[in-house]
């Protein structure tokens, strides 16, 4: 494993071959034909969701570099900034996350449709990377199987066209892990710079990528220390480390520089909440009176850490908790993963019986283990979408069942994918609330935010129009401050926030009694 100009020459040759790769282009063509129309249909069928205004507001603020009055709250700013790129020429203004989609020069439906097309197109690079990666490891059939699983999978289908950066964050992680894998396959300066750019971008999109530096370090130990020891190659360990550490050091130095560049070289004092006690400490005063690079990113890490430490209210199988359960995401998989894809995961798990694992597969196995460990200890158990960074590598690894497999295994894999596709399509366009079987009242079993993310106000409007005009109707929302339901329901219903979650927010009035008659529509 040495550094030489021949490495870059091979990169150029490989790139030239990939440009004219007809299978890759066919995968991307199928992706466009499925993702874009599906995204538009999802957008037209759903109303504004609770998080849309928040991410639109932060995206617009990013490009105008105006954070006055903005809350940091959990996510880095780049995810929202990427989502609003096609909206920058539409004259949109930012005026608070609670009503960012209200009072704009174009309608909410048009905004969401533009974002849906844009985010669908942004999924294509990840689709191509996954096809190429699995094909290089397991062969052409595995590459096709992996790509088609990503097109069919319902949680991906539901979130690809939406404003929140859940899938965009997964794309950043997968592409960054692929670039890191290529670097360790044959270290070079070019690959080190590419991997650093991928890692920095992934970390700036969503905080699920915060462990990327640890992943790179673990991969270095695996590739340069454990592998030579395992294969009993005497003397190669020290030689490989000596030959490769300069480029690894270069990668480590470039990652924070890329993060700062992706904040548009943000340089300001560290932001504190108005009621924060930390600002009155000596360290708080020091941070608040000096300028720091990438302060909005650093502040978002602070808020995400606080959120993670506090936990989030959730429930599972009749039990409520603010700290979650170690097995929550595996329990959610029982409801959210199509049965056909579940069979393929099993085929991938038993495939070592006919195809012995290779060291190159650690590029997929190590991130699966790292992100599974991260998410299992998470206290935020409110949606299967949060498990996508680990789940995607499970899907890619399952494609290994195609290598030197019996004809029966190959037929079974494709039949399972076809069965999963048919069942998923039967939910169109309600992929957000997909459940894989005839579970009884699944919304009472798992706290999956996808079941009601505010997307059904158009359906509520149709239902309200069928009710007798003389019956009073009260609509209780999960988060009334984040979404304006009035354009959808008009004056047909009185809108209330949830009395359990928002007892002091509008439109409550002091001493105002809760409704005692009529129809009540409640978010599950």
């Amino acid at each position: 494993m040495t550094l030489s100009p021949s490495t870059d020459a091979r990169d150029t040759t490989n790139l030239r071959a990939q440009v004219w790769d007809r299978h890759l282009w066919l995968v991307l063509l199928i992706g466009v034909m499925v993702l874009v129309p599906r995204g538009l249909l999802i957008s037209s069928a759903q109303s504004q969701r609770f998080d849309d205004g928040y991410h639109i507001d932060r995206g617009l603020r990013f490009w105008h570099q105006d954070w006055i009055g903005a809350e940091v709250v959990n996510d880095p700013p780049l995810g929202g900034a990427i989502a609003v790129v096609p909206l920058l020429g539409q004259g949109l203004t930012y005026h608070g996350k609670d009503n960012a989609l209200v009072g704009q020069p174009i309608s909410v439906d048009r905004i969401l449709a533009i974002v849906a097309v844009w985010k669908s197109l942004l999924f294509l690079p990840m689709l191509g990377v996954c096809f190429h990666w699995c094909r290089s490891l397991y062969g052409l059939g595995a590459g096709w199987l992996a790509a088609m699983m990503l097109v069919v999978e319902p949680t991906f289908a539901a979130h690809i066209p939406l404003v929140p950066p859940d899938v965009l964050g997964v794309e950043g992680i997968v592409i960054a892990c692929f670039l890191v894998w290529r670097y360790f396959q044959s270290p070079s300066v070019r690959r080190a710079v590419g991997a650093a750019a991928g890692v920095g971008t992934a970390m700036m999109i969503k905080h699920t990528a915060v462990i990327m530096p640890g992943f790179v370090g673990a991969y270095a130990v695996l590739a340069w220390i454990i592998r030579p020891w395992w294969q009993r190659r005497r003397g190669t360990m020290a030689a490989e480390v000596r030959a490769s550490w300069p480029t690894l050091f270069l990668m480590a130095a470039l990652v924070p520089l890329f993060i700062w560049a992706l904040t548009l070289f943000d340089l300001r004092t560290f932001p504190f909440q108005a009621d924060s006690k930390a600002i009155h400490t000596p360290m708080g005063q020091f941070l608040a009176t000096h300028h720091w690079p990438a302060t909005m990113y650093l502040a978002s890490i602070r808020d995400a850490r606080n959120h993670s430490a506090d936990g989030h209210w959730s429930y599972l199988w009749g039990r409520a908790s603010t700290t979650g359960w170690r097995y929550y995401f595996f329990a959610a998989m029982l409801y959210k993963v199509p049965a056909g894809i579940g069979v393929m995961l099993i085929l991938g798990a038993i495939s070592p019986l006919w195809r012995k694992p290779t060291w190159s597969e650690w590029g997929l196995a190590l991130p699966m283990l790292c992100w599974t460990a991260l998410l299992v200890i998470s206290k935020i158990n409110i949606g299967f979408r949060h498990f996508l960074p680990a789940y995607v590598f499970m899907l890619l690894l399952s494609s290994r069942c195609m290598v030197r497999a019996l004809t029966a295994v190959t037929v079974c894999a494709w039949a399972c994918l076809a069965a999963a596709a048919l069942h998923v399509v039967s939910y169109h366009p309600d992929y957000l609330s997909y459940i894989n079987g005839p579970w009884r009242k699944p919304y009472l079993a798992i706290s999956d935010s996808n079941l009601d993310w505010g997307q059904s106000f158009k359906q509520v409007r149709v239902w309200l129009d069928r009710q007798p005009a003389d019956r009073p109707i009260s609509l209780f929302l999960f988060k009334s401050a984040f979404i304006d339901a009035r354009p959808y329901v008009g004056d047909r219903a009185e809108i209330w926030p949830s009395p359990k979650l928002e007892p002091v927010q509008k439109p409550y009035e002091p001493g105002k009694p809760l409704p005692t008659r009529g129809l009540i529509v409640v978010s599950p």
Side-chain angles (χ1 to χ4, degrees), residues 49-114:
R49 293 154 294 270
F50 293 125
D51 288 354
D52 290 347
Y54 161 69
H55 291 290
I56 293 288
D57 177 80
R58 282 176 54 79
L60 294 172
R61 288 180 183 276
F62 174 89
W63 292 113
H64 292 88
Q65 286 293 286
D66 183 359
W67 299 103
I68 297 176
E71 294 185 27
V72 179
V73 191
N74 298 329
D75 293 314
L78 187 61
I82 293 175
V84 303
V85 165
L87 301 173
L88 293 179
Q90 303 291 329
L92 271 66
T93 57
Y94 47 94
H95 44 72
K97 71 182 183 68
D98 291 353
N99 57 351
L101 295 181
V102 178
Q104 300 291 4
I106 57 178
S107 68
V108 172
D109 286 345
R110 181 171 173 79
I111 291 173
L112 298 181
I114 292 173

Side-chain angles (χ1 to χ4, degrees), residues 180-385:
V180 170
W181 173 75
R182 289 183 73 251
Y183 165 78
F184 283 106
Q185 292 293 102
S186 180
S188 69
V189 172
R190 173 183 291 185
R191 292 190 174 191
V193 173
V199 170
T201 302
M203 294 176 68
M204 268 293 291
I205 293 175
K206 197 166 176 63
H207 283 316
T208 44
V210 73
I211 63 170
M212 283 296 313
F215 161 71
V216 176
Y219 209 137
V221 171
L222 183 72
W224 296 338
I225 299 177
I226 296 179
R227 182 180 182 182
W229 171 79
W230 184 268
Q231 296 178 344
R232 298 180 180 179
R233 290 182 288 151
R234 296 180 179 180
T236 60
M237 183 189 307
E240 290 185 2
V241 172
R242 282 196 303 269
S244 304
W245 77 262
T247 54
L248 186 63
F249 180 80
L250 174 66
M251 187 193 308
L254 287 177
V255 167
L257 182 60
F258 276 116
I259 290 176
W260 188 28
L262 290 170
T263 64
L264 303 184
F265 297 101
D266 179 36
L267 188 67
R268 65 188 71 224
T269 57
F270 198 80
F272 287 91
Q273 302 292 348
D275 58 349
S276 174
K277 296 180 181 179
I279 195 173
H280 301 297
T281 65
M283 178 58 71
Q285 287 292 313
F286 181 72
L287 293 173
T289 55
H290 291 76
H291 287 75
W292 306 93
T295 51
M296 290 308 299
Y297 175 71
L298 297 176
S300 69
I301 290 181
R302 174 201 61 191
D303 284 18
R305 182 196 62 190
N306 292 340
H307 186 199
S308 179
D310 294 339
H312 200 294
W313 188 92
S314 59
Y315 66 91
L316 178 66
W317 292 334
R319 298 171 58 197
S321 173
T322 57
T323 57
W325 301 266
R326 295 289 183 261
Y327 53 87
Y328 166 80
F329 290 111
F330 302 108
M333 289 180 75
L334 297 176
Y335 297 84
K336 301 294 290 186
V337 175
I341 290 181
V343 172
M344 284 194 287
L345 293 175
I346 295 173
L347 289 176
I350 65 175
S351 62
L353 294 175
W354 61 83
R355 206 276 189 175
K356 187 178 179 180
T358 63
W359 276 97
S360 295
E361 291 182 76
W362 276 110
L364 294 176
L366 186 60
M368 181 195 72
L369 296 174
C370 289
W371 269 274
T372 298
L374 171 70
L375 296 167
V376 160
I377 64 174
S378 170
K379 298 179 181 178
I380 313 299
N381 292 168
I382 57 172
F384 185 62
R385 60 193 166 95

Side-chain angles (χ1 to χ4, degrees), residues 116-150:
V117 173
W118 170 239
K119 296 290 286 289
S120 298
L121 294 173
L122 286 179
F123 190 72
L124 295 178
M126 173 175 150
L127 191 65
V129 164
C130 291
F131 169 78
H132 172 72
W133 198 353
C134 290
R135 180 178 60 174
S136 65
L137 288 174
Y138 308 126
L140 182 61
W144 272 101
L145 186 67
M148 293 304 101
M149 275 195 290
L150 293 177

Side-chain angles (χ1 to χ4, degrees), residues 28-44 113-124 151 160-161 428:
L28 296 180
L29 177 62
I30 293 174
V32 170
M33 294 173 63
V34 174
L35 299 177
V36 173
R38 186 175 68 189
L40 278 172
L41 291 171
I42 291 172
S43 174
S44 64
I114 292 173
V115 172
V117 173
W118 170 239
K119 296 290 286 289
S120 298
L121 294 173
L122 286 179
F123 190 72
L124 295 178
V151 171
I160 287 171
H428 178 83

